[in-house]
Amino acid sequence: MNLSMKWLNDYVKADMPIKDYCHALTMSGSKVECYETEGKEISNVVVGKILSVVPHENSDHLVVCQVEVGKDTPIQIVTGASNVNAGDIVPVALDGSTLPNGVKIKKGKLRGVASNGMLCSLGELGLDKRDFPYAIEDGIFIMQENCEIGQDIQSAIGLNDTSVEFEITSNRPDCLSVIGLARETAATYNLPLNVKAPEYKGIDGNINDYLSVKITNTEKCMRYCAGIVKNVKIEPSPRWLRERLRASGVRPINNFVDITNYVMLEYGQPMHAFDLRYVEGAKINVRNAENGEKIMTLDGVERELSDDMLVIADEKKPVAVAGIMGGEYSGIMDDTTTVVFESAYFEPSQVRRTSKKLRLKSDASARYEKGVDPFISMTCLKRAFELVEELGAGEVLNTVIDCDYLDHNKKNSVDFDSAWINDFLGTDIPETDMIDYLTRLGFEVADGKVTAPSFRIDIECKADIAEEVARIYGYNNIPSSDFRGVAKAEFTPEQKFVRTLRDTVVSLGGYEIATYSFVSPKYFDKIRLPENSRLRKVVKIVNPLGEDTSVMRTSTIPSMLDVLSFNYNNRNEKACLFEISKEYLPVDEKRNYSPEEANLVNNGKPRHEYEYQLPDELQRLTIGMYGSEADFYVLKGMIEQLFAEINITGVEYVRAGECEVFDEKYALHPGRSAVILKDGKHLGIMGEVHPEVQETYGIGTKTYVAKLSIPELMECASDEITYKPLPKFPATTRDLSLIVDDEVPVAELEKAIRGAVGKILEKVTLFDVYKGKQIENGKKSVSYSVSMRSHEGTLTDEQADSAVKKALKALADIGAELRG
């Protein structure tokens, strides 16, 4: 909802700074999205008067104008416009001025003649012919406004209103109107509200001689008011009305259409104006449509109706879809002479269903489907007639038709208990203040009851009344307190653990992504999964959006590869991404119920003797990278740092090809991938993506991925931190150069050394791997630095040599021997 501040000032004095106003209304519950002042992009543009127009000496289409702009001497402007004459009042952009879209005007020369500004057209001011109907589209704007020479153009043509955009929630349809927001403004600032009852004189005449109205479906239409205007004059609306419509985001069309839009914006009540000529039989019937019945709506689309839709019909056909849009011939034509004004209340849910079924939205339907004030229809009809007379647009009959099936005695009342409200809010607001707040909002408080005004259809219980008190009292004035009877909110251990993982990967240069959990079955072929892979057993979605989103994923690696592919093909030179998400592994077993459980009902239906269990939802951390800084060891280093943060030690890396747990090994390079183990528990898999998979995803560089199982990481992680004293005794170091079969992993050698040396081992460092002429084919040379230290005393050579001998014996058992 866009609110014109000029319009607002008709009802409440809102002369406070605009930023203060926006803040105050937001704090009282009417959220402001933004505000914008018309013409703010225009500067140094003034009203000028053309004194003379002479031909340009060096051009047959340019003219030289002397223009008075309120200064001591006129200025000279060269223009190519053909519609300017001496005496014309025009907008003049002076030297250094700015126009919409950032256009800047500087003085210069045109064909050798000085020009010190520019004469402006409507388009150059950001306007069009609907804003000033007397102007021409493709020439200089010749003004007919009452203004002074030298006056700023914004004030001269009314291009200086400020429009405030509100985000109106669905439970407050009363605020979809200027008067509704004026009520909120008056209540927020405790200012008087000035809303006068509309009045019109009318002419004598019996409306029943012109029109009859019947409501066939009184449940969907509980009130229908109609009036007649004779001898209408279709012409542009006056400037003040056009300005207010423009500031509210509505383009003016003609006086009668503008009146219906004006009343809708002012009161929140949609209205419609019919040309009486096209109401066959001069009879209006509010009824349900017939199946297959068609109507051509004002947007030029023929729509087929069904019997659950409400229409406004004449004697033979529908002329409007009730509460949504009129028919093709229901609008106002240039030759219209007699107009029927309609103001009605339509049941909100049927408007919403019809709008959705027809895929037809309008300003009227947006208001009707949220709910309008059911008792305001006649007031709005009178307001429309008042405007007709004010604009001199026609003769209003002083009789109207009012088909009213509303219960005017029904009042929406709620118990008023100030002690309960204070207890509910945690405040100590005096009862008199509460009554004052509610009265300012239009409520009546008497005899222990709060009666809501008819426009507040959202009031249902005491909590609603407490909310009204709280927002006028000021949410920011309510002291902070813990919820009583509720445990203090804190992260679960799993949430804390996941947060640690996330923060660690971010600190290592990763960018978090989020992908969909539902994927295409084709994903499995893209990562080379065998036909018999357990990952191909999926949970199928009953109502998928499409084939590409028809199953729940059993592996997160394809999703990561999709995002890496997208980044690579959008020319991002490098990427390091991660995602914390879930895999969905189906559970085949059926859950059996006892006879007693089977007899229970679930949502009114008997429960089956069994039902399939929900899938296992297993949380995973997936990391993916490519680029000049990415390789196998960079990824492994990130994982090792991650393990250090969550205190997991003693991790082993084994060839992925030997693992039967992770079928994603088929997506990875067989010689450059590894499974991560801790005490026999599988923590994850990592490695370089298989060249065939890279080609399938269109990634033209080496790519690396890792998938870690978060539940297993939690089991192996320790939150105990052990501190060791600084060493008192020196370390002893021995270097070992070993010859071993090429197929033996260096990790296996390191494991043998660690196991043999025992507790005096401080660290084992791999510092060389060599294959060359001095090494037999099929063999490799591996060199380690073994550091040993005792906390009980300085190690002797005998102790160190003994430990090394044990290590060599353990290494010999796996085929390693000292290099000669």
Side-chain angles (χ1 to χ4, degrees), residues 632-633 636 652-662 664-666 668-677 682 684-687 740-749 771 778 780:
F632 180 91
Y633 295 104
K636 184 170 179 283
E652 299 179 60
Y653 296 84
V654 301
R655 283 196 177 98
E658 301 172 3
C659 177
E660 299 299 328
V661 174
F662 294 105
E664 288 94 343
K665 64 185 179 182
Y666 297 103
L668 303 179
H669 192 295
R672 300 170 190 168
S673 56
V675 169
I676 308 166
L677 300 174
H682 293 79
I685 188 170
M686 60 162 290
V740 68
D741 290 341
D742 198 15
E743 292 79 12
V744 177
V746 293
E748 191 172 342
L749 301 176
K771 299 176 187 177
K780 61 184 174 183

Side-chain angles (χ1 to χ4, degrees), residues 555-613:
S555 174
T556 55
I557 286 181
S559 300
M560 175 59 71
L561 290 172
D562 256 350
V563 179
L564 291 172
S565 172
F566 178 83
N567 278 270
Y568 178 81
N569 287 288
N570 278 274
R571 299 184 180 180
N572 287 330
E573 295 180 356
K574 60 182 180 179
C576 180
L577 310 175
F578 76 96
E579 180 181 25
I580 296 175
S581 55
K582 291 182 178 180
E583 295 176 343
Y584 300 82
L585 303 180
V587 178
D588 293 334
E589 296 80 7
K590 299 174 183 178
R591 178 183 172 190
N592 292 310
Y593 288 104
S594 67
E596 293 78 13
E597 290 178 314
N599 289 330
L600 296 175
V601 293
N602 186 19
N603 293 330
K605 297 180 180 179
R607 176 178 276 166
H608 296 291
E609 294 182 2
Y610 62 83
E611 64 181 20
Y612 287 99
Q613 294 188 42

Side-chain angles (χ1 to χ4, degrees), residues 3 18 62 281 363 386 394 400 402 425 506 513 517 567 698 701 719 767 779 787 819:
L3 174 66
I18 188 63
L62 297 176
D363 287 337
E386 183 179 49
V400 296
D402 186 4
L425 296 176
V506 169
I513 63 171
S517 299
N567 278 270
T701 186
D719 56 3
F767 65 85
K779 301 283 187 176
S787 178
R819 179 178 175 183

